[in-house]
């Protein structure tokens, strides 16, 4: 029952996480920052705006992004197959990208191209993470991973480090906020959404926060305290990196992922597969 409620309220939980992140970022920058409920105030403001859409297909892809992200979150919360959750998340990113490609805005198209580069940068690491969880727990089922007697982190330290390295790519944070790049292409694939249609994308981002940090939680296995501490540590680390780094170009992001993160995770998996303890 708690899993169902957590799934239903995932957008609200994600909104609070987003609000906390903005407060923490402001404190790191020695300023007050917005109130905790600011994301929800923004949500209400977007509801009141006049709905303007480029065309129906573009608007529908924003809604598909929201729904697919929520489905990915539901699969995680209900303890189903981890691969299916990853699959739904990929669908959500592709929907947003296809929608961005469907308009004539050069900013939107460039953002869509960069979003695909994000995908090919972090997705291999996530797939390797899923394989690593299977080697440790013997199952792709999230319920089995969460009931695993040990702490997966102890057997997968390099996979965990590799996954942390992908989080700025997943969440569009510095130094890898390349697809949105507000100073350069003004929001990237989201640029042509407005009003309620942008609201769908905006809320989908909230759910993505819950999705990503739940994946971090899995590294604690059945020890939920360790999982919660890992989530807090990762949240603060990603926020600190976002506050202290400048945006890199897409080539450096690809090089970092393919030449550092993927080999790091692969080495850990190879060690496990060969019977290392």
């Amino acid at each position: 029952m708690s899993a169902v409620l957590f799934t239903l309220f995932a957008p609200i939980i994600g909104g609070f996480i987003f609000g906390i992140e903005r407060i923490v970022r402001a404190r790191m920058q020695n300023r007050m920052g917005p109130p905790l409920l600011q994301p929800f105030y923004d949500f209400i403001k977007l509801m009141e705006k006049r709905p303007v859409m480029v065309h129906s297909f573009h608007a529908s892809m924003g809604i598909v992004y929201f729904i697919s992200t929520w489905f990915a979150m539901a699969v995680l919360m209900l303890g189903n197959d981890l691969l299916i959750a990853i699959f739904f998340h990929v669908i959500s990113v592709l929907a947003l990208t296809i929608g961005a490609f469907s308009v004539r805005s050069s900013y939107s198209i460039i953002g869509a191209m960069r979003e695909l580069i994000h995908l090919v940068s972090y997705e291999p690491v996530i797939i390797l993470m899923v394989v690593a969880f299977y080697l440790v727990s013997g199952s792709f089922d999230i319920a089995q991973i969460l009931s695993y007697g040990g702490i997966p982190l102890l057997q997968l330290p390099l996979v965990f480090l590799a996954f942390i390295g992908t989080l700025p790519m997943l969440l569009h944070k510095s130094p890898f906020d390349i697809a949105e790049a507000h100073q350069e292409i003004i929001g990237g694939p989201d640029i042509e959404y407005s009003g309620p249609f942008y609201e769908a994308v905006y809320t989908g981002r909230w759910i993505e926060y819950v999705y990503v940090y739940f994946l971090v939680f899995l590294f604690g296995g059945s020890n939920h305290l360790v999982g919660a501490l890992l989530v807090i540590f990762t949240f603060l680390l990603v926020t600190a990196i976002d506050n202290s780094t400048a945006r890199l170009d897409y080539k450096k992001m690809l090089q970092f992922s393919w030449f550092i993160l993927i080999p790091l995770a692969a080495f850990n998996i190879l060690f496990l597969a060969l019977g290392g303890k």
Side-chain angles (χ1 to χ4, degrees), residues 28 58 65 145-146 162 167 170 176 184 220 227 238 250 258 275:
M28 288 180 176
H58 178 256
Y65 167 76
I145 297 171
L146 288 175
L167 292 189
L170 269 162
F176 302 127
E184 182 185 351
V238 171
Y250 72 92
W258 282 84

Side-chain angles (χ1 to χ4, degrees), residues 11 61-71 92 200-201 203-204 207:
M61 286 297 100
I63 296 172
V64 170
Y65 167 76
F66 167 72
I67 294 173
S68 297
T69 307
W70 207 345
F71 264 93
S92 70
V201 177
T203 311
I207 299 174

Side-chain angles (χ1 to χ4, degrees), residues 1-11 13 70 73 77 210 214:
M1 185 63 182
S2 60
V4 174
L5 292 175
F6 204 96
T7 301
L8 292 175
F9 289 102
I13 296 170
W70 207 345
M73 188 68 249
M77 289 293 103
V210 185
F214 189 86

